[in-house]
Each structure stands twice: as C-alpha cells, then as structure tokens.
Amino acid sequence: MADKFAIITGASTGIGFELATLAAKAGYDILVVADEPLIDAAADDFKQFGTDVQSVQADLSTIEGVDQLLAAAGGRQIDVLCANAGHGLGHAFLDQDLAAWRKVVDLNVVGTAYTLQKVLKQMVARNSGKVLVTGSIAGYIPGSFQAVYNGTKAFVDSFVAAIQNEIKDSNGVTLTNLMPGPVETEFFARGDMLDTSVGTDPKKSDPADVAKDGWDALMAGKASIVSGWKNKIQAAVANITPNAVLAERHRHMAEPGTAKD
C-alpha cells in the first residue's frame, strides 16, 4: 500500500477517469466510484501504475450512495478527494421530468455538498488534506435549455468559495475549484444534447488537458482554475454581461435543433 490515498468520483469516463489516472501515476492508492458498471473496467486500467485500486458502483445523488463510498475507504485517511461526479440535462425546463431534473440537483448539489462535509471535516480536524471540486464556468451563465445544470454549477462555484473562507485558518487543508467549459466527454450524450450546437462542437476541450489543469492546481493549493484560455475569457466577460444577454447566447448553444453540420 502507498502512504497516500485518494478518492475520485465520477471516474469511469471523462475528466474523472483522467484525474484517477493522474492520481495513480503520482503514487496514490485510489478508490474510484461511478454509478455504472464501467467503473470496474476503469479500475483495471488504473492498476497498470502499480498502486492499490478499489472501485465501487454507487449513486452519489443519494445520501446512502455517499455513505457507501466512504465506507469503502475502510477508515483509511483520505489525503486527496476529487469530487468530480456530476450530471447534465438538456432541453427546456418545462419539458423535463421531475425525476430527471431532480437527479441533477441531488447529484451536483446534495451529493457534492454531503461528500465535502464528511471528508473536509476529517481533514480540518487533522489540518491536512486536499480537495478538488469540478465546478464549471457554466455557473456564471444563465443556461437556457440547460437551466437546472447551470444553476447547480452556480451553487457549486459559490459554495466552494464560501467553504474556502470558512476553513481559511486550516493552513494544511486546501480546497480547489476546477472550472472547465464544454469538454469532449459522455456528458452531452447522457444529457440528451447531441442535437445542440455545443453538443456537436468539435472544438470542445480534451478531458486529459482539463484534468491536468485541475490536478496541477490541486497540488499547488490554488483556490480555483478556469481550464482553457477561451474559457478564461468567457468567464471574465460573463461577470460584466447582463444576464439576459448571457441567456440568449446560451440559447444559441444549447437549444435543441442547433446542432452543427
């Protein structure tokens, strides 16, 4: 066993998969989780780097799922947490099923907050540990045809900044917010957004690049990192642009039927 241990959520594909790869390469024993059986195949891939790898299939949109994940750690000290699990949902809010949009809220908001509360409490008590949360520049933008998802990321971005202030006297604990823009992952297929401009955009970020930005910021103890120079510009512009304008721009990206040829 290595002398350092990391948990990575949402690790079966995309940014989470790449974060788990970086953690294993850096010599961490890892516990990876996702809500699909694919997490076990991903875990087999991570074992090539020579550290101990555990996988668990759990639904982190539920309190029970988060408890299941933490129980799988077996009481081991968590040195790094990458809270990356998240879910998107496209189409007009008024057309969405309650169960579908509530799942987004429960995973992105409740699951993230509960996981952080449980893990950060232990870290602050011993004054040691690092946490990376996958937020989004979407949190700065009213998300027409992606309203619930963007709303949850606004919560995450705000929540992380608030908790950073609350734990600022715990010098050995750092909390970092990774804020990417659109990334080439399963996100758009799972969120039923393959008929949109953003879903079919060939210029989305590479998840490996986003994960590397996040991991480097995590290790450096930075408060936040916007991944990608175009996203840095977009985040900066969003701060000075009226919400109505931002919402209209987002509509052109996320409205069904705007897919690029």
Side-chain angles (χ1 to χ4, degrees):
M1 295 180 75
D3 60 358
K4 48 190 181 180
F5 177 56
I7 293 177
I8 302 94
T9 72
S12 56
T13 60
I15 298 171
F17 181 93
E18 300 297 343
L19 285 168
T21 299
L22 291 170
K25 282 183 176 180
Y28 285 82
D29 288 340
I30 60 174
L31 170 59
V32 293
V33 60
D35 64 353
E36 58 181 353
L38 185 59
I39 192 61
D40 295 325
D44 288 338
D45 191 86
F46 305 140
K47 291 176 181 176
Q48 66 181 292
F49 304 110
T51 60
D52 184 69
V53 179
Q54 298 173 259
S55 60
V56 59
Q57 184 179 344
D59 182 357
L60 301 186
S61 70
T62 68
I63 298 301
E64 296 77 14
V66 175
D67 287 340
Q68 179 187 351
L69 167 64
L70 297 178
R76 190 169 179 185
Q77 175 176 303
I78 302 166
D79 301 295
V80 163
L81 166 67
C82 295
N84 170 76
H87 186 58
L89 185 64
H91 293 268
F93 173 67
L94 297 184
D95 296 332
Q96 293 169 351
D97 291 335
L98 168 61
W101 67 256
R102 181 172 176 177
K103 179 69 175 274
V104 176
V105 173
D106 286 342
L107 178 59
N108 297 6
V109 175
V110 180
T112 298
Y114 182 54
T115 304
L116 261 63
Q117 185 178 52
K118 298 289 284 189
V119 175
L120 272 173
K121 186 174 289 188
Q122 298 174 5
M123 290 181 172
V124 170
R126 66 174 189 267
N127 204 34
S128 175
K130 293 180 178 294
V131 174
L132 178 71
V133 180
T134 302
S136 177
I137 65 168
Y140 294 107
I141 304 168
S144 305
F145 296 93
Q146 206 175 352
V148 173
Y149 173 78
N150 283 38
T152 64
K153 288 304 181 178
F155 170 87
V156 170
D157 293 345
S158 175
F159 179 75
V160 170
I163 304 308
Q164 286 169 342
N165 181 265
E166 290 186 14
I167 66 171
K168 67 179 183 179
D169 294 330
S170 301
N171 296 323
V173 180
T174 60
L175 175 57
T176 303
N177 188 11
L178 169 61
M179 293 180 284
V183 184
E184 190 61 67
T185 68
E186 300 294 322
F187 175 91
F188 296 97
R190 291 173 177 170
D192 194 18
M193 296 184 67
L194 294 182
D195 59 347
T196 67
S197 175
V198 66
T200 54
D201 186 351
K203 297 181 180 180
K204 293 190 287 290
S205 299
D206 186 321
D209 294 337
V210 175
K212 183 65 164 55
D213 286 343
W215 184 261
D216 289 348
L218 172 70
M219 291 297 107
K222 293 182 178 179
S224 63
I225 176 70
V226 175
S227 180
W229 66 267
K230 290 183 179 179
N231 296 323
K232 293 180 192 295
I233 294 172
Q234 188 172 358
V237 170
N239 284 323
I240 58 173
T241 304
N243 279 343
V245 174
L246 292 172
E248 184 64 23
R249 288 178 181 173
H250 198 280
R251 181 189 191 103
H252 294 310
M253 295 168 51
E255 185 174 12
T258 58
K260 296 181 179 179
D261 296 329

